[in-house]
Amino acid sequence: MTSTTAVPADPPVDLWSPRLRAMTVGSVALVSLLAFEALAVGTAMPTVARSLDGLGLYALAFGGSFASGVVAMVASGIWCDARGPRPAMWHGVVWFVAGLVVAGTATTMEVLVVGRVVQGFGSGLVSVALYVVVGQAYPEQLRRRIFAAFAAAWVVPSLVGPALAGLIVEHLGWRWVFLAVPAVAIAAALLVQPGLRALTATVATRPPAGALARIGWACGAGASAALLHYGGQQRGALAAGLIAAALAGLLVCVPHLLPAGFLRAARGLPTVIGLRALASAAFVAAEVVIPLMLSRERGFSPTGAGLVLTVGALSWSVGSWIQGRIGSPRSAATLPRAGLACITIGTAGVASALVPGLPVLPAVLCWAVAGLGMGLLYPSLSVLTLEQSAPAEQGRNSSALQLGDSLAAATVLALTGAVLAAGASPGPAGFATTLAVAAACGLLGLLLAGRVVPSPAT
């Protein structure tokens, strides 16, 4: 199997050059739509469950989408490596739009869950295909900038998505949270299409060896992830049993989907993917505990606590902007180290809000530092993944990067829920424990950051 791409004689030097403008606008728009739906559904779902009398399927509406996304990420990586990103991109958009339409027109909760599963599968296909598009369509000097644009495309929905979804639910009805997006998604895909057509198709007629086995392991990982999500919303012995079973399933399945040497942090790509997972675990663990901690320990209103999270989202965008405009660092480990140092210091410093009599401002500033670190880290790891991937492996490795990220976040969410539910009610001990785990994940990543540089033999 060989892979070639059409490389122009004079590579564009700007994301908005005529050759890349439509591709950039369409790709960023697709990322924004994926982000908006991921965030808006959480706002709308309580109303949806009441309207369709489906509270018993509430958790499955989230877990099913996440599980199908896990399978789709692996399938998309295989597909992109075999046939290029164009088929996976178009199929992903079709599945995404179809799922939104099914969910938006559902008359029962069961049908809505089906729509969410279809939507999640489409999201997984598109998210990996977009990374492969970056690897094939954008010259190396622009990859930091396009990934910074992707980061900004997530930040804007995180700032306005929940509020906008709430307004839509209140004034137009919950169905429009789903039905307002398909037309925009199709338009964005049409903008990307000319650039996809310009890429030379991969010369291959069959999937790579072991593809069917990888799909099987992905199904196992997806089922385990759904069980983990469900278990994280339960309480007591049931939660502990479900989470334990889910983690066992992930430990069995996930190593078959990630690069060899991932668990031992082998130099190069395994560590790149491992750092992304650790950073995701650290940030998510702190992010989910901050609103509850500020509300219970400092009397913050939901709006006030939300504004603190907004500070982290904005600083994430700033960090992404900074890394996209600096020259190539002397070492590939420079930006990951800086990012993980910020994440470690920031997540640990958030715990200062638990100290009675100490102003909350230092904790807010620390959360801004953590967000800055994520902005420095995420795009740089995406760039390193493409740099260390042969053209025929960009799909597989992009899939592994996002898979590790998603599963780490899901795992820490479930475990955080279990920690906070361990006592009669969440309190300082549970908050401090969660933040300590977050800081420990960041510190472990910081200690391993130098291993993103491949050994000379590779």
Side-chain angles (χ1 to χ4, degrees), residues 199-248:
L199 299 177
T200 302
T202 302
V203 182
T205 57
R206 63 182 63 184
L212 187 60
R214 283 176 56 78
I215 294 294
W217 290 116
C219 290
S224 298
L227 183 63
L228 182 66
H229 188 97
Y230 180 76
Q233 297 188 6
Q234 308 307 309
R235 294 292 180 267
L238 176 61
L242 292 175
I243 291 174
L247 291 177

Side-chain angles (χ1 to χ4, degrees), residues 231-232 234-237 239-240 243 292 413-431 433-434:
Q234 308 307 309
R235 294 292 180 267
I243 291 174
L292 186 59
L413 281 172
L415 295 178
T416 297
V419 169
L420 295 179
S425 62
F431 299 142
T433 300
T434 301

